[in-house]
Amino acid sequence: MLKIIAIDKLGGLLTNLSLEEVKNDNISWYWVDFNCPTKKEIELLTTFFRFHELLIEDCLTLLERPKIEITRQQIFLVSHILKNIDSEYETINMFIGKNYIVTIHLTHIRFLSKVISKVLYKGDEYSPMHVMHMLISEIVEGYIPLISKIENRLDELEENDAHTKGSKIMNEVFDLRSDLLKLRRGLLPMRELIHRFLVSRRVDMTDNDRKYFHDVYDELVQQTEIIEASRELASDIRENYMTYNSFKSNNIMMTLTVISTIFLPLTFLAGVYGMNFSYMPELQTEYGYFVLWIVMFLIAAGMLWFFKKKGWFDMF
């Protein structure tokens, strides 16, 4: 489906016009949006707009990374959109010239209606570059709640000593780290593209336009830094969990070692006097049984005192 908005040279807003009419001399600039285009509408990209076939091919496939191509005649931008963290990336493709902007997307983009409403309200104050800025700004703002949600959850886990909890919490940390990587794949290339756009000498834009795009770039820098900080926090929680588990395991092994060491001589004594020989002098004494208990108690107490003196119990 096509949505056409045009601004004439007198500042008037035109919406009910055909595609051929946007080429009229009285049109200052226009925006054509291809929303889930049909095969016939896709052919217009070649027959009417005469875009390069390779760029059209990029519009019809999901690129792994955002992309920008800048010439003196037009800017071609492919940007990734993430509706929610569990969904797949969607793309919006933009062709921006001096007097036009053409957007193509194979799925419905929710924020487009918001941008279209702004253009319909005061389109005479905008230009194709303004519309490009608004679209990119909406894309970037769509990442912010997703990043904030993960950041807040990681802060909550850290404050509650998540490393002392069970493996379920660690599974959640691994999932959050995976989500951060997914967000990073969308935002980091976008930051690089906007930087290339700002420093390119082929882009003709006013100082005011440049300020708007710098604001978007600053937001991208901030959000990517939050992602990197959150990834480090997730790694710290994971490492603390592994260290804590290792410490617990060492304590358990230390406890078992102390118990085994104490019972080793006691087991030896019990084994010696438990042998079924006919003649064992100690077994005939009147207080032999009590003496053996006292000896075993003194051995155990002596070993505990020795371990304490060596500082073994300070490790628990």
Side-chain angles (χ1 to χ4, degrees), residues 1 34 36-47 56 60 106:
M1 184 178 72
F34 287 77
C36 306
T38 63
K39 186 175 181 180
K40 187 175 181 180
E41 290 172 340
I42 290 173
E43 291 175 355
L44 293 173
L45 299 174
T46 303
T47 58
I56 297 174
L60 302 178
L106 303 180

Side-chain angles (χ1 to χ4, degrees), residues 122-242:
K122 47 181 180 179
D124 57 322
E125 300 179 10
Y126 295 141
S127 68
M129 199 67 72
H130 285 120
V131 177
M132 176 186 175
H133 166 263
M134 287 190 289
L135 292 173
I136 295 175
S137 180
E138 289 292 335
I139 292 170
V140 175
E141 288 179 7
Y143 284 93
I144 294 176
L146 303 178
I147 297 172
S148 298
K149 183 178 179 180
I150 295 175
E151 181 188 20
N152 293 336
R153 180 55 181 158
L154 284 172
D155 289 339
E156 182 182 337
L157 290 174
E158 186 194 27
E159 291 174 0
N160 294 334
D161 294 329
H163 63 274
T164 64
K165 305 297 191 297
S167 58
K168 288 184 178 180
I169 297 295
M170 285 304 105
N171 289 336
E172 182 181 359
V173 172
F174 282 118
D175 290 340
L176 292 173
R177 183 174 171 80
S178 177
D179 293 341
L180 287 169
L181 289 173
K182 185 175 183 179
L183 292 167
R184 186 175 183 269
R185 285 198 301 270
L187 275 185
L188 191 59
M190 193 68 181
R191 185 182 76 176
E192 296 171 358
L193 296 187
I194 299 301
H195 180 262
R196 283 176 53 195
F197 172 76
L198 286 170
V199 301
S200 175
R201 295 182 179 180
R202 297 179 179 178
V203 179
D204 183 20
M205 60 178 166
T206 64
D207 291 339
N208 190 50
D209 290 338
R210 192 174 295 276
K211 288 179 182 178
Y212 278 108
F213 281 102
H214 262 297
D215 183 66
V216 173
Y217 177 73
D218 291 341
E219 186 65 46
L220 282 166
V221 171
Q222 181 181 354
Q223 294 306 316
T224 50
E225 287 178 351
I226 292 175
I227 288 176
E228 294 301 327
S230 297
R231 288 182 65 214
E232 291 179 7
L233 179 57
S235 297
D236 290 343
I237 293 175
R238 181 183 61 181
E239 291 174 5
N240 289 341
Y241 172 75
M242 296 176 67

Side-chain angles (χ1 to χ4, degrees), residues 255-266 299 303 307 312:
T255 302
L256 295 176
T257 300
V258 169
I259 293 173
S260 300
T261 304
I262 292 174
F263 272 88
L264 184 63
L266 306 185
I299 291 174
M303 295 183 74
F307 293 151
W312 280 31

Side-chain angles (χ1 to χ4, degrees), residues 18-37:
S18 65
L19 196 57
E20 289 73 17
E21 289 178 295
V22 300
K23 297 292 187 179
N24 292 343
D25 293 337
N26 68 320
I27 299 299
S28 176
W29 68 272
Y30 61 89
W31 176 14
V32 180
D33 178 56
F34 287 77
N35 182 14
C36 306

